[in-house]
Amino acid sequence: MTGRPAGARSIDEMLAGARSRLERLDPGRAHAESLDGALLVDIRPAAQRAAEGEIPGALVIERNVLEWRFDPASEARIPEATGYDVRVIVFCSEGYTSSLAAASLHDLGLTRATDLAGGFKAWQAAGLPTG
């Protein structure tokens, strides 16, 4: 293996950088914010949702199209992408991919986006509603 190219970062460094930009939410706070109008967004693939379960009322937007669906300037945006101030709480299975995804939404200008620390598994362990 050769040395790392200039500017390259490890995935651990990328994850730490992404999380430094977010105010991550524990399951209880994410649930409370969702009841208050925040959008819970499940980015897990269909097979993972089928195996693990789902959060009732969460929007399902797989990771590969997330930015297109939330960019207010995109023709492929969802109706809920009403502007840059939308509160979006992204979750995956364990809270790793969701941190990177939420940081990507920040790059689009959605600076109120964040993620669910611990992901779906933490939500489920907290005894919050699942289906």
Side-chain angles (χ1 to χ4, degrees), residues 2-9:
T2 62
R4 210 166 35 168
R9 297 183 296 159

Side-chain angles (χ1 to χ4, degrees), residues 4 80-81 88 99 114 129:
R4 210 166 35 168
E80 294 85 352
V88 178
S99 293
T114 191

Side-chain angles (χ1 to χ4, degrees), residues 86-98:
V86 173
R87 179 63 159 171
V88 178
I89 305 167
V90 181
F91 69 93
C92 60
S93 183
E94 295 181 355
Y96 295 96
T97 302
S98 60

Side-chain angles (χ1 to χ4, degrees), residues 34-83:
S34 72
L35 293 174
D36 203 29
L39 300 175
L40 274 176
V41 179
D42 189 342
I43 61 169
R44 296 173 298 156
Q48 202 167 32
R49 291 191 312 273
E52 295 177 351
E54 297 188 19
I55 296 175
L59 292 172
V60 175
I61 302 176
E62 290 192 16
R63 176 66 191 98
N64 63 325
V65 295
L66 182 70
E67 291 83 356
W68 285 270
R69 300 299 183 256
F70 273 98
D71 182 354
S74 171
E75 291 183 13
R77 73 184 172 279
I78 58 172
E80 294 85 352
T82 57

